[in-house]
């Protein structure tokens, strides 16, 4: 039907999955990201939550923080949803579909941290949620500007040399992914990781890292 | 450690950044900067006239402004990105449920009501050619409801 | 078309700057939520500027994402601030005692006639109105389950389009029916969430 522009940064396409106008594909680069996402999703499914131990200073006393089974179930569900959204985002072949998967990653990340009752963590989660929400403006805005100025959303067309994507759209896209995945905002993440419950917290980092790697590839290819 | 408001410019910046209360503000500032660049670059942007799924308006049709033409149970010409991938392209567009067909026959303003019977090109895009978008969208809603319901129902 | 688009884009960019400047200045968390909702409208404006049928279809996901995030983050805000829900009826007027049944019935029936997304929204309004006026003990979990099944049905309908396109009519009908149930269920959940004792 069609093929990626040569030379593509992510390598030639290996496998193509067609969903109507949205044509997803695996290239060596995205296949690798996909494998990582699968790996960490599986880890989230099979592993048991970490149990933090607090040691009281000046004595032998220590206590283990318990995680309620309901919270465990909820967080595992969110972690799996986050993993699936990451899977979708890294192999997406359509800009708008990519942005939707990205915002799904953002909202599942809010969900994972929102389950904690620690006030400090909740505060960080709230600020993070605000950024994830306003990030939809540059995210969808970038996709919309791409659609208006090029007439297509398909990466298969956009990666070709015939179509020039405006710089502002690319900048918006990167900015949007930064907001949803919090890639450069490690401040909030540092607070969030103080919460008990790895590996569910871990998937927040993995998903944002993979998303960022993917958006960099998209922007460089366009 | 130096007290607040002292130290080199870099340590002051990094101290401000380490407060997550400023997080939304920092992000907003970034967006503002990029948007200003966007305003500067406006003269270099141009609207592409060849768009997929262009909008047609037929004022005389009872389905106005949502009349996309086509005969039911037949292929309708729709400017999709990859028509090959959707062999039944346009079938959803042209189809009206018997009830909405009845209303379209009797009224000239079916399209102006909020009637959203299956059919119409929007549904074609939402359900058929770009169905994956809708799958993701409803999954987002599902996840959000799970979060809200979990927090609401948690007993404590 | 070109000049109109560029002019519109310029205005949208200016509004983005205004909205984000407001977020930059605002310190209060509750006001930040409200401003965030305001800012998200600009994402829809940017999509709407494309002015094709595709843009119209893309607005729906954009809108839904905004609403979903708003709902989740509001609930986080409530937990964070440990705000308690009112134990008394927040609104008490006579029509709420006499009208619920007939009003809700009319709205739900009209919603079913309309079917699809807006039908679901309308039927949902009817359900919200009913639950708002009458009690809603025990119903929360049931609606939640029904809405979950409707979601699965709706996803299933999309895969009919993708895998078995020749059964498109069946897909349209399944999707139309499932979204009616789904939106109704979700909206009535919102109705039950506004206070009272759950469970």
């Amino acid at each position: 039907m069609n093929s990626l522009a040569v030379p593509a940064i992510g390598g030639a396409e290996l496998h193509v999955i067609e969903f109507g106008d949205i044509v997803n594909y695996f290239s060596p680069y995205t296949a690798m990201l996909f494998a990582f996402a699968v790996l960490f999703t599986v880890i989230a499914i099979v592993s048991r939550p970490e149990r933090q131990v607090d040691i009281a200073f000046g004595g032998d006393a220590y206590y283990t923080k318990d995680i309620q089974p309901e919270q465990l179930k909820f967080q595992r569900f969110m972690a799996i949803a986050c993993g699936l959204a990451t899977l979708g985002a890294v192999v997406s072949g359509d800009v708008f579909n990519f942005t939707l998967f990205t915002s799904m990653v953002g909202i599942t990340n809010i969900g994972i941290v929102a389950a904690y009752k620690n006030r400090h963590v909740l505060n960080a989660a709230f600020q993070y949620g605000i950024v994830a929400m306003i990030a939809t403006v540059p995210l969808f805005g970038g996709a919309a500007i791409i659609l208006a100025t090029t007439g297509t959303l398909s990466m298969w067309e956009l990666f070709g040399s015939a179509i020039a994507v405006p710089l502002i759209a690319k900048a918006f896209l990167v900015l949007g992914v930064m907001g949803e995945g919090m890639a450069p905002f490690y401040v909030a993440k540092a607070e969030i990781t103080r919460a008990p419950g790895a590996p569910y917290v871990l998937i927040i980092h993995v998903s944002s890292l993979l998303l960022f790697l993917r958006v960099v590839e998209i922007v460089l290819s366009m | 450690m130096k007290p607040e408001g002292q130290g080199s410019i870099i340590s002051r910046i990094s101290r401000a950044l380490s407060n997550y209360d400023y997080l939304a503000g920092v992000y907003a500032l970034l967006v503002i900067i990029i948007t200003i660049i966007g305003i500067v670059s406006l003269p270099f942007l141009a609207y592409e006239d060849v768009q997929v799924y262009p909008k047609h308006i037929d004022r005389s049709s009872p389905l106005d402004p949502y009349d996309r033409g086509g005969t039911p149970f037949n292929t309708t010409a729709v400017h999709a990105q990859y028509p090959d991938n959707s062999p039944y392209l346009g079938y959803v567009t042209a189809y009206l449920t018997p009830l909405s067909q009845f209303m379209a026959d009797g009224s000239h303003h079916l399209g102006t009501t909020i009637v959203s019977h299956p059919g119409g090109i929007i549904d074609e895009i939402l359900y058929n050619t770009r169905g994956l978008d809708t799958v993701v969208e409803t999954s987002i809603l599902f996840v959000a409801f799970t979060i809200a319901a979990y927090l609401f129902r948690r007993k404590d | 078309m070109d000049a109109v688009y560029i002019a519109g884009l310029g205005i949208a960019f200016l509004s983005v700057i205004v909205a984000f400047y407001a977020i930059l200045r605002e310190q209060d968390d509750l006001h930040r939520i409200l401003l965030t909702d305001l800012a998200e409208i600009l994402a829809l404006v940017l999509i709407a500027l494309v002015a094709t049928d595709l843009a119209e279809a893309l607005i729906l996901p954009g809108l839904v994402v905004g609403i979903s995030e708003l709902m989740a983050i509001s609930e986080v805000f409530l937990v964070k601030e440990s705000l308690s829900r009112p134990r008394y009826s927040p609104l008490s007027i006579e029509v709420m005692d006499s009208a619920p049944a007939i009003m809700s019935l009319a709205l739900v029936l009209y919603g079913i006639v309309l079917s699809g997304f807006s039908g679901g929204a309308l039927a949902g309004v009817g359900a919200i109105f009913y639950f708002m006026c009458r009690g809603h003990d025990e119903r929360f979990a049931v609606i939640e389950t029904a809405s979950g099944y409707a979601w699965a049905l709706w996803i299933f309908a999309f895969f009919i389009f993708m895998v078995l396109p020749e059964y498109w009519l069946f897909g349209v009908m399944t999707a139309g029916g499932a979204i009616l149930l789904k939106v109704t269920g979700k909206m009535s959940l919102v109705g039950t969430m506004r206070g009272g004792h759950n469970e």
Side-chain angles (χ1 to χ4, degrees):
Chain A
M1 177 192 70
N2 43 28
S3 61
L4 286 175
V6 181
I9 292 171
E13 76 273 14
L14 302 172
H15 184 65
V16 176
I17 311 166
E18 293 160 357
F19 294 108
D21 273 6
I22 297 169
V23 182
N24 292 351
Y25 67 93
F26 290 90
S27 68
Y29 184 73
T30 60
M32 200 179 69
L33 298 182
F34 189 84
F36 265 110
V38 169
L39 176 68
F40 279 93
T41 312
V42 170
I43 288 178
I45 292 172
V46 299
S47 61
R48 299 170 55 76
E50 147 210 76
R51 301 174 79 187
Q52 286 184 339
V53 176
D54 277 6
I55 299 176
F57 266 111
D60 292 341
Y62 66 89
Y63 50 92
T64 314
K65 287 180 183 166
D66 254 349
I67 294 181
Q68 306 291 327
E70 276 178 25
Q71 182 184 341
L72 175 71
K73 260 163 66 183
F74 175 75
Q75 281 191 314
R76 180 177 289 157
F77 169 77
M78 282 296 152
I80 294 168
C82 183
L84 293 179
T86 315
L87 287 180
V90 292
V91 296
S92 185
D94 183 274
V95 176
F96 195 77
N97 205 238
F98 172 75
T99 63
L100 278 178
F101 272 121
T102 307
S103 32
M104 185 167 165
V105 168
I107 201 161
T108 50
N109 285 354
I110 301 171
I112 292 172
V113 286
Y116 297 110
K117 290 172 191 162
N118 181 335
R119 201 183 162 90
H120 202 66
V121 176
L122 274 178
N123 252 323
F126 177 77
Q127 300 299 339
Y128 172 25
I130 291 282
V131 175
M133 273 179 83
I134 55 180
T136 55
V137 177
L139 197 63
F140 291 152
I145 295 172
I146 289 176
L147 176 62
T149 52
T150 65
T152 180
L153 282 168
S154 169
M155 288 181 196
W156 297 79
E157 317 287 325
L158 292 168
F159 286 2
S161 52
I163 293 178
V165 177
L167 184 69
I168 177 69
K170 293 179 182 180
F172 264 14
L173 213 54
V174 174
L175 204 57
V177 174
M178 273 164 65
E180 291 289 348
M182 301 296 276
F185 297 108
Y186 281 103
V187 182
K189 284 193 167 172
E191 300 296 335
I192 287 165
T193 29
R194 285 163 54 165
Y200 308 123
V201 172
L202 198 70
I203 199 127
I204 300 178
H205 298 260
V206 174
S207 61
S208 61
L209 188 65
L210 292 177
L211 278 184
F212 207 70
L213 287 173
R214 174 75 174 133
V215 79
V216 166
E217 189 231 337
I218 292 173
V219 166
L220 288 179
S221 305
M222 280 195 302
Chain B
M1 190 183 139
K2 288 180 180 172
E4 286 285 320
Q6 286 183 27
S8 71
I9 181 109
I10 292 177
S11 60
R12 261 191 251 176
I13 291 174
S14 86
R15 193 178 299 128
L17 284 180
S18 72
N19 184 346
Y20 56 74
D21 279 333
Y22 298 145
L23 204 63
V26 171
Y27 188 75
L29 192 66
L30 274 176
V31 175
I32 290 174
I33 294 169
I34 300 286
T35 312
I36 290 173
I37 297 174
I39 289 184
V40 173
S41 72
L42 267 184
F44 306 106
L45 298 181
Y47 187 79
E48 170 67 44
D49 287 319
V50 186
Q51 293 276 349
V52 284
Y53 309 105
K55 179 108 190 146
H56 298 294
I57 290 187
D58 176 11
R59 287 288 175 222
S60 61
S61 158
L63 296 181
D64 172 62
Y66 292 107
D67 190 13
R68 272 88 193 199
T71 44
F73 298 97
N74 206 344
T75 314
T76 306
V78 175
H79 184 193
Q81 187 82 54
Y82 302 117
D84 297 347
N85 291 350
S86 310
Y88 286 80
L89 185 67
Y91 273 61
V92 184
T93 305
Y95 178 75
L96 286 177
T97 55
L99 184 64
S100 44
Q101 186 64 59
F102 169 74
M103 284 195 254
D105 291 342
S107 156
H108 277 291
H109 306 289
L110 182 71
T112 60
T113 70
I114 58 165
V115 172
S116 64
H117 296 92
I121 202 163
I122 300 296
D123 290 358
E124 180 83 41
I125 301 169
L126 284 178
Y127 291 172
N128 194 347
T129 51
R130 297 184 63 90
L132 200 60
D133 273 353
T134 318
V135 170
V136 184
E137 172 224 319
T138 52
S139 308
I140 292 173
L141 192 61
F142 186 71
V143 166
F145 260 100
T146 315
I147 297 172
Y150 172 78
L151 292 178
F152 175 72
R153 295 177 67 184
R154 189 165 65 184
K155 292 183 208 71
D156 52 1
Chain C
M1 194 62 215
D2 198 54
V4 175
Y5 177 72
I6 298 299
L9 199 58
I11 294 169
F13 277 163
L14 284 178
S15 323
V16 168
I17 291 178
V18 171
F20 279 79
Y21 183 66
I23 292 169
L24 179 64
R25 292 291 301 275
E26 184 56 61
Q27 297 299 321
D28 187 78
D29 282 344
L30 178 61
H31 289 170
R32 266 195 188 154
I33 298 182
L34 300 178
L35 286 175
T36 310
D37 192 31
L38 197 67
E40 288 202 323
I41 294 171
L42 294 168
L44 302 185
V45 169
L46 284 168
I47 299 175
L49 277 171
V50 183
T52 56
D53 279 331
L54 179 56
E56 213 171 326
L58 296 184
I59 282 182
L60 193 59
L63 186 68
V64 167
V65 170
I67 294 173
S68 316
E69 290 184 335
L70 186 67
M71 190 173 55
I73 210 71
S74 314
E75 210 52 51
V76 173
F77 179 75
L78 288 179
V79 175
K80 172 174 96 82
E81 301 287 313
S82 348
L83 294 176
S84 58
R85 299 180 171 85
R87 286 279 167 256
Y88 53 89
S89 171
L91 190 68
S92 174
I93 43 180
E94 197 196 332
V95 71
M96 292 180 72
D97 295 325
S98 50
I102 183 83
M103 283 282 286
S104 314
L105 192 68
L107 282 171
V108 170
L109 280 182
Y110 186 44
I112 291 169
V113 169
L114 294 184
S115 84
F117 192 86
S118 39
L122 211 67
V125 168
I128 286 184
F129 186 64
Y130 188 82
F131 290 134
M132 238 174 77
C133 304
R134 301 279 167 86
H136 48 74
D137 305 349
E138 300 287 338
R139 295 198 187 108
F140 197 89
V142 179
I143 304 172
E144 210 176 69
T145 314
S147 162
Y149 281 115
W151 178 77
L153 200 64
W154 158 253
I155 297 291
F156 170 72
F158 283 106
F159 284 93
I160 294 178
F161 279 115
M162 290 167 197
V163 182
L164 302 166
E166 61 271 29
Y167 294 107
W168 60 272
L169 186 61
F170 180 60
V172 168
M173 288 304 152
T174 317
I179 197 171
L180 172 77
L181 271 176
K182 187 174 76 85
V183 176
T184 310
K186 294 268 160 81
M187 286 196 65
S188 31
L189 282 188
V190 173
T192 56
M193 264 186 215
R194 63 183 295 285
H197 30 256
N198 56 329
E199 295 295 288

